[in-house]
Amino acid sequence: MTAHVPATRDDLTALPLEVAPRLLDAHLETVVAGERVVLRITEVEAYHGRGTGEVADPGSHARMGRTARNATMWGEPGHLYVYLSHGIHSCVNVVCAPEGLAGGVLLRAGEVIDGAETALRRRLVRGVVRAPRDLARGPGRLGDASGLRHPVHDGIDAVTGAELAGARARLLLAVAPPPLIATGPRVGVAGVAGTSAFPWRFWIPGDETVSPFRPGRGATEV
């Protein structure tokens, strides 16, 4: 089994595009209302805010600058940006970028390696679970399984593990990276940001918990 160590601020201060593959095989541990779940991360996507990196990212929530919604992305690395998707799904991102810049890595999918009964109960509240691989397969499902909810847990610190709204979160990085890492377009992102011009999605090839690819609206190759 791969060894893991607690993530530090320094581990997460590079650009999201550099940090993203480093988060594969990492563990996200949450304790919400006294119930513990551990997720092994198998799929991620990088997002850069306005002014972050050499290429503008039209798919980022922070592409136009700082707003009330994306404020966490502009904060200290290691906090979690928890946002609401389609008015239903709480999605979890690891904030990472040099000081003064905005960025995050969306945790798209993972394997529940501890607390499966808790994760299953949380997921069944929102729909059918057809197989264990589906417990955290996709960012909305991962958010449900983790127990982290928008807006109360937005900004929770996954480096110190400090409590926020009855929850704690810790991020542990794998000492050794996965032997193989795949990369390609981000899932469901509209326009050019969802094409091969932005191969900013990373996943562990062959892992059954990785979510299926689907293009976003207007995401046609140029």
Side-chain angles (χ1 to χ4, degrees), residues 7-28:
T8 67
R9 304 277 181 226
D10 288 345
D11 290 325
L12 305 170
T13 54
L15 296 178
L17 192 55
E18 299 173 40
V19 174
R22 181 79 175 87
L23 296 183
L24 293 175
D25 240 0
H27 289 176
L28 177 66

Side-chain angles (χ1 to χ4, degrees), residues 14-45:
L15 296 178
L17 192 55
E18 299 173 40
V19 174
R22 181 79 175 87
L23 296 183
L24 293 175
D25 240 0
H27 289 176
L28 177 66
E29 177 184 348
T30 61
V31 180
V32 181
E35 295 184 301
R36 179 176 179 267
V37 169
V38 181
L39 296 157
R40 179 181 67 89
I41 306 305
T42 59
E43 181 187 9
V44 298
E45 289 177 347

Side-chain angles (χ1 to χ4, degrees), residues 33 35 39 44 64 69 82 86 109 129 167 177 182 192 204:
E35 295 184 301
L39 296 157
V44 298
M64 302 299 291
R69 180 196 192 195
V82 183
H86 301 294
V129 179
V192 68
I204 299 174

Side-chain angles (χ1 to χ4, degrees), residues 30-165:
T30 61
V31 180
V32 181
E35 295 184 301
R36 179 176 179 267
V37 169
V38 181
L39 296 157
R40 179 181 67 89
I41 306 305
T42 59
E43 181 187 9
V44 298
E45 289 177 347
Y47 290 89
H48 287 189
R50 183 178 183 179
T52 302
E54 298 180 357
V55 179
D57 180 4
S60 172
H61 288 176
R63 62 186 179 277
M64 302 299 291
R66 183 171 181 147
T67 66
R69 180 196 192 195
N70 67 35
T72 299
M73 290 183 73
W74 297 83
E76 192 176 33
H79 291 257
L80 302 182
Y81 169 46
V82 183
Y83 73 88
L84 198 63
S85 176
H86 301 294
I88 302 172
H89 306 294
S90 292
C91 300
V92 180
N93 302 252
V94 177
V95 174
C96 50
E99 185 175 357
L101 298 176
V105 176
L106 172 65
L107 305 182
R108 272 208 61 85
E111 175 193 8
V112 179
I113 60 174
D114 198 3
E117 290 185 5
T118 296
L120 177 61
R121 189 184 71 251
R122 291 169 177 167
R123 287 279 299 110
L124 287 174
V125 170
R126 296 184 175 273
V128 175
V129 179
R130 294 179 175 84
R133 73 172 188 173
D134 293 328
L135 280 178
R137 191 177 186 228
R141 293 172 176 176
L142 187 148
D144 286 344
S146 75
L148 299 177
R149 308 304 299 163
H150 169 87
V152 294
H153 299 134
D154 181 30
I156 193 169
D157 193 343
V159 170
T160 66
E163 184 174 339
L164 177 65

